[in-house]
Amino acid sequence: MVIRTLSNLPGVSGHEEPVREYLWEESRAFIDNHWIDSMGNLILLKKGTSCSKKVMMLAHMDEVGLMVRHIEKKGTIRFSTLGGIEPSVLAAKPVIIHGKENIPGVIGMKPIHLQAPEEIKSPLKKDSLYIDTGHASDEELKRLTQPGDPITFDTPFAPLGQLWKGKAFDDRAGCAILLETLKMNIQPAYDTFFVFCVQEEVGLRGSRIAAQRIEPDLAFVFEGTTACDIPLVDPHRWTTQLGQGPAFTIAHHGLVFQASILQSLSTLAQENQIPFQWKQKIAGGNDSTPISKAGVGCITGSISLPVRYIHSPASLMSPKDYEATLRLSELILRKQSNFFTHDGRLS
Amino acid sequence: MKNLIQQLTEISSPSGREQNIRQAITDHIRPYVDQVQVDALGNIIAYKKGSGGKKLLLDAHMDEIGFMVSHIDDHGFIRVEPVGGHMPLRMPNQRIRFEHGAIGCFFYESEELSKHLADYQQVTFDRLFVDIGAGTKNEALSRVRIGESATFHPLFHDMGGKVMAKAMDDRIGCAIIIELLRQCSTPWYDLYLVFAVQEEVGLVGATTAAYGVHPDLAIALDVTSTGFRDLPKGLKRIPMKLGDGPAIKIQDRSMIADARLNQWIAQTAEEHHIPYQYEVLPFGGTDGGAIQTTKTGVITTTLSIPTRYIHSPCEMIDINDVHHTVQLLSHIVKKPFDS
C-alpha cells in the first residue's frame, strides 16, 4: 500500500532523501524524463499528446519533525522543530533519531508533581523538553548521532476504525495520490510535470524554484490540510471535515484562487459523482502561493485531503477521502483539456 | 475626475475577483493606449509607445480588501473570512455587499450582557457573523453561495475638497493613471500601465506583471496613512497630511525606495511648482516592494495619496492631491531619468 509506505518513510524538511528514493524507484518506468534540482526537488515529466502547454501536479515530500541540536553529558538530546509544531503535542511521545543508525527515544519533561503551579498553567515550552534515549551518558550517543540529524515521530501507519492513523499524511497523502496517478500510465493532453518538492513546511521553498524552472501554464497542488471536525469546535470553524471528499481552497495566505479553476474543478467532480468540499478557513497556506507568483504567473488549484491532528505525532485521515481524491487526480490528468478553452486559453 | 472616482470605488472587486473593475478600467484606457493585455493572474498590462525607447512601469492595484463566504448556518446566518488586512473591531454594524447583490450587516456573538463590551473588544472573524435577513439556510443559499466574495457596501460621498468612499485603496491610483492617459500626448518613456490583482493579500499581481515587463524604471501608486498633522491626536510618528501633495515614498515595510529616483521626482515637482511631501511608513507595504526585487532588480519608488481611515468604508482623500499627482506624473513620463 503506497500510503502506508510513504507515511512511514522518514523525511523531515531538508532530509527528504528516503522519500525521493522511493518515489523515483516506483515511478521511473512510467516517465519520459526526470530532473533532481539543486534543492532536491524530484521533477518527473510525462509527455503529452501536445507540448504546447505545461501542466504541473505537485506534492511536497517533507514532513514536520525535529532535529538534533545538542547532545547533553547525561545522554539526553535537545532538539529544534522543523515546521510548525506546537510544543504541547510533544510531551511523552516516542520518536526515532535518524543518526548513523536509528535510535529510538521518548520526549521527556519534568513530572507534574515537581512543577510549580505557574508552570502547570502556562503553555509548554520547547526548552522544557528533551529526548530521553535511555543512554546514561553522551559517550555512546555521540558515536551514533550528531547535531543536525533529523528526528521523526515513531507512529507506524495503522487503520483506526474507519480511518487511517499515521505520522506524515501532510503531505505523503499528496505524494501517494500523485504516484498512484502516475503509475496509471495515462498519456495526458499536454506535457505534465509531476513534482515532488522539498521544504514546504519551513517556508514553501522547494516549489518556488521548481515552478521557476518549469514555468507551467496550469498547476495543481495536492496537500494534506487541517480538519477540525471535532465536538469541541463549532461547525463554522471546522475548516474541513473527514469523509466529505477532497477540499478545494478558495483563498488562503497570500493568494485568492481564480474563480475559473474553482468552477472547472467543482464541475469535474460533480459530473463524475466525486464528493468534494470547500475549505472554509483562509488561515494557513501552501505551495500554491509561490507557484502562482513564479515567472509571469500561472493559474493554480489546491486540492486537499482533510487530516485531523495535523502537524502532530498521530494524524488521522479517511480512506474515503483518499479514494475520492485519487479518482479526481486521475480525471484531472485524463481531461486536461477541460481546463483550457478550445483556443487554448485557460477556461 | 470625481465621477471617475465614484464609478471606480462603487465597483466591488476584492482580491482575486477583479473581473468587474478590470472591465471598467479596460473600457476607460482603451482609446489612449496602443495595446491592452490581461495576463494569467488577471493583471491588466497596457502599453503606450513613447519616443525614448526605455520602459517605465506605472502600477496601481485594482483589488480592494473584502470577504469570502465560508459557512451558512441553519438559521441563515453567514460566516465570512477576511480577504486582506481587516480589523475585526471595525466590523460590527458595518454593511457588506455580496458578489451577487445580497446586502447584509455584521454583528458578533455575545451571550451575556455583562460581557457585551469584553466580547466586542476581543472580537475575531470566528465570532463575527453576517445577517442578510434570511430566516433559513435555504433562503440564505438562494442569495449567497459558499465561496462568494463580498466587500464593504459602497458609500461614496463628495465633500467638496475631500471625497470619501470605500476602496480608495487603490482605485484612486487606478483613477490617476486613467486621468494621466487622458492628458498625456506622446510620452518619452514606453509606458507599461499595470492594474494589478491581489495586492491586498500579498503583492501577487505586481510580482508577475513586473516579471513579464521587466522595466527600466517603476513607480507604484497607492494610498498612505496620515497622522498627527492631519487628525486630532493622530498617530505621532506619521507626518503625512491630506492636501500637502503626493507623498514620495522613502520607506515602508516592503521597500526602501530608490533615492536617486526620489530626488529626480522631487526636483521635477519643484520645477513645476507642484507640492509634495515625503513618506516614511512604519507599517504596510505596496506593489513597489515586489517590483523592486523583480529579476535583476528595478529602480522603483512609490507615489502615495494621503488617505484617512484606510481599510474602512470611509477612506477619505483630498481631490487636490489627486490633481497634483496627475500633474507630476505627466511631467515625469516626458523626460528621461539619468541615475
Side-chain angles (χ1 to χ4, degrees):
Chain A
M1 202 173 159
V2 172
I3 181 67
R4 175 191 296 268
T5 310
L6 274 167
S7 181
N8 286 345
L9 282 170
V12 299
S13 307
H15 298 271
E16 298 88 353
E17 311 90 309
V19 182
R20 184 168 53 239
E21 285 300 310
Y22 171 78
L23 289 167
W24 167 238
E25 285 304 326
E26 289 292 309
S27 59
R28 56 192 301 171
F30 302 94
I31 56 163
D32 297 303
N33 205 345
H34 80 285
W35 300 263
I36 296 172
D37 71 14
S38 58
M39 285 183 80
N41 294 315
L42 175 63
I43 302 172
L44 308 170
L45 169 63
K46 187 87 189 152
K47 280 206 160 137
T49 322
S50 156
C51 62
S52 64
K53 304 276 172 212
K54 287 178 281 191
V55 179
M56 183 161 118
M57 313 249 295
L58 175 138
H60 69 87
M61 295 187 285
D62 61 319
E63 67 190 288
V64 297
L66 314 174
M67 189 177 78
V68 177
R69 186 159 53 83
H70 176 64
I71 302 160
E72 294 176 313
K73 284 230 172 329
K74 296 202 164 171
T76 46
I77 289 175
R78 295 288 178 158
F79 59 86
S80 311
T81 48
L82 286 171
I85 301 177
E86 223 222 304
S88 63
V89 304
L90 292 174
K93 300 300 190 302
V95 295
I96 297 172
I97 301 155
H98 302 274
K100 289 202 177 65
E101 54 189 68
N102 286 350
I103 309 160
V106 168
I107 299 177
M109 62 180 291
K110 203 199 280 185
I112 191 157
H113 64 274
L114 296 180
Q115 291 182 22
E118 56 270 25
E119 279 183 286
I120 296 171
K121 279 185 204 153
S122 61
L124 203 54
K125 291 194 180 66
K126 225 168 21 188
D127 286 346
S128 61
L129 300 169
Y130 56 91
I131 296 171
D132 190 334
T133 58
H135 287 272
S137 83
D138 64 349
E139 262 177 62
E140 172 68 3
L141 264 184
K142 280 187 168 168
R143 273 197 295 276
L144 297 173
T145 182
Q146 61 181 26
D149 283 347
I151 304 164
T152 58
F153 298 119
D154 186 7
T155 311
F157 177 95
L160 187 90
Q162 276 84 58
L163 304 177
W164 290 336
K165 179 182 77 172
K167 70 170 171 61
F169 293 147
D170 177 11
D171 182 29
R172 301 299 156 63
C175 295
I177 295 279
L178 290 189
L179 178 61
E180 291 208 53
T181 309
L182 188 60
K183 289 173 89 168
M184 291 173 190
N185 214 12
I186 299 158
Q187 191 185 18
Y190 300 110
D191 281 2
T192 302
F193 296 82
F194 287 80
V195 177
F196 299 96
C197 76
V198 297
Q199 299 193 31
E200 191 265 359
E201 298 291 359
V202 291
L204 319 176
R205 295 176 186 161
S207 59
R208 181 188 312 271
I209 64 164
Q212 281 167 192
R213 173 184 295 262
I214 296 165
E215 296 194 335
D217 297 283
L218 175 65
F220 296 95
V221 173
F222 289 79
E223 255 287 25
T225 198
T226 181
C228 314
D229 52 339
I230 55 173
L232 306 172
V233 176
D234 288 337
H236 73 271
R237 299 172 70 181
W238 280 357
T239 308
T240 64
Q241 45 183 321
L242 263 55
Q244 303 298 309
F248 303 152
T249 310
I250 302 164
H252 68 198
H253 183 75
L255 188 71
V256 179
F257 290 76
Q258 307 280 319
S260 61
I261 192 83
L262 301 179
Q263 183 69 51
S264 305
L265 279 173
S266 56
T267 305
L268 186 64
Q270 273 157 356
E271 284 175 357
N272 294 279
Q273 289 83 47
I274 298 173
F276 71 93
Q277 54 188 316
W278 300 108
K279 190 176 168 187
Q280 287 177 321
K281 307 294 288 181
I282 66 171
N286 69 24
D287 287 321
S288 306
T289 303
I291 293 167
S292 293
K293 290 168 82 168
V296 293
C298 90
I299 302 244
T300 307
S302 179
I303 298 151
S304 294
L305 291 112
V307 179
R308 267 184 219 153
Y309 321 121
I310 202 165
H311 289 207
S312 87
S315 297
L316 303 182
M317 66 178 281
S318 160
K320 279 203 260 177
D321 294 335
Y322 184 89
E323 290 308 321
T325 310
L326 184 57
R327 278 169 59 215
L328 183 70
S329 169
E330 178 191 348
L331 281 165
I332 287 172
L333 194 61
R334 282 192 194 282
K335 305 196 169 188
Q336 276 179 350
S337 50
N338 282 22
F339 294 89
F340 296 91
T341 58
H342 62 279
D343 60 350
R345 293 173 66 91
L346 280 154
S347 60
Chain B
M1 192 67 197
K2 284 178 180 170
N3 286 342
L4 178 63
I5 296 169
Q6 176 167 8
Q7 190 212 345
L8 296 185
T9 56
E10 283 185 345
I11 291 169
S12 286
S13 277
S15 310
R17 298 291 177 269
E18 292 92 353
Q19 61 278 5
N20 294 339
I21 187 70
R22 181 163 51 237
Q23 188 58 53
I25 291 174
T26 306
D27 291 344
H28 279 293
I29 62 174
R30 204 179 281 283
Y32 307 104
V33 297
D34 298 300
Q35 200 182 45
V36 181
Q37 279 187 324
V38 176
D39 74 4
L41 296 187
N43 295 308
I44 301 174
I45 303 175
Y47 170 69
K48 183 175 176 68
K49 190 161 174 46
S51 58
K54 287 213 167 187
K55 296 180 188 175
L56 168 61
L57 186 156
L58 295 179
D59 164 284
H61 67 87
M62 58 181 168
D63 63 318
E64 65 190 290
I65 56 170
F67 311 92
M68 182 197 93
V69 178
S70 60
H71 185 83
I72 299 172
D73 76 13
D74 291 341
H75 305 290
F77 289 97
I78 295 165
R79 303 286 175 161
V80 299
E81 288 283 291
V83 174
H86 279 292
M87 282 156 278
L89 206 61
R90 287 185 175 177
M91 297 305 131
N93 306 111
Q94 294 288 5
R95 286 187 185 207
I96 171 175
R97 182 173 73 182
F98 293 87
E99 193 174 347
H100 297 110
I103 287 171
C105 78
F106 276 103
F107 205 67
Y108 61 101
E109 299 171 356
S110 188
E111 291 181 296
E112 288 174 50
L113 203 54
S114 62
K115 290 188 185 157
H116 215 54
L117 182 61
D119 287 337
Y120 170 67
Q121 284 166 338
Q122 288 158 21
V123 75
T124 64
F125 274 88
D126 276 342
R127 303 208 170 98
L128 283 161
F129 55 84
V130 173
D131 188 346
I132 58 164
T136 63
K137 185 172 190 168
N138 278 341
E139 194 185 340
L141 277 169
S142 70
R143 293 191 236 159
V144 166
R145 287 187 304 188
I146 300 290
E148 186 169 331
S149 73
T151 65
F152 288 127
H153 190 259
L155 290 162
F156 177 89
H157 185 58
D158 179 357
M159 302 155 140
K162 297 186 176 65
V163 182
M164 178 170 79
K166 76 158 180 67
M168 281 297 179
D169 176 7
D170 183 27
R171 302 288 156 69
I172 199 66
C174 300
I176 286 168
I177 296 181
I178 293 168
E179 188 59 28
L180 173 74
L181 286 171
R182 286 175 178 165
Q183 292 185 12
C184 168
S185 47
T186 305
W188 187 86
Y189 281 102
D190 285 345
L191 294 184
Y192 288 83
L193 310 149
V194 170
F195 299 89
V197 297
Q198 300 201 30
E199 189 266 359
E200 296 291 359
V201 296
L203 318 181
V204 176
T207 304
T208 61
Y211 186 96
V213 175
H214 199 203
D216 297 289
L217 211 61
I219 300 172
L221 296 156
D222 210 331
V223 299
T224 192
S225 294
T226 65
F228 68 94
R229 293 173 59 240
D230 194 54
L231 297 167
K233 300 208 172 175
L235 287 171
K236 281 178 187 169
R237 294 167 65 198
I238 311 278
M240 287 80 80
K241 186 177 190 303
L242 261 61
D244 277 8
I248 302 173
K249 174 95 73 189
I250 293 173
Q251 188 181 357
D252 63 23
R253 292 293 292 274
S254 71
M255 77 185 306
I256 296 173
D258 191 282
R260 300 159 297 182
L261 181 57
N262 277 354
Q263 195 187 354
W264 180 71
I265 290 174
Q267 267 171 17
T268 309
E270 278 164 23
E271 279 165 28
H272 296 91
H273 311 290
I274 299 167
Y276 67 93
Q277 51 190 319
Y278 283 111
E279 172 199 359
V280 176
L281 197 65
F283 49 84
T286 71
D287 281 342
I291 297 166
Q292 190 176 41
T293 52
T294 301
K295 287 189 175 171
T296 52
V298 177
I299 294 175
T300 307
T301 192
T302 299
L303 284 181
S304 301
I305 311 308
T307 306
R308 292 178 186 161
Y309 325 122
I310 290 173
H311 286 197
S312 84
C314 311
E315 296 177 339
M316 195 188 296
I317 53 107
D318 187 313
I319 198 73
N320 281 324
D321 291 336
V322 178
H323 291 313
H324 285 136
T325 309
V326 174
Q327 261 181 44
L328 180 56
L329 282 169
S330 68
H331 294 296
I332 287 170
V333 300
K334 281 199 188 118
K335 66 174 196 181
F337 163 68
D338 182 8
S339 63

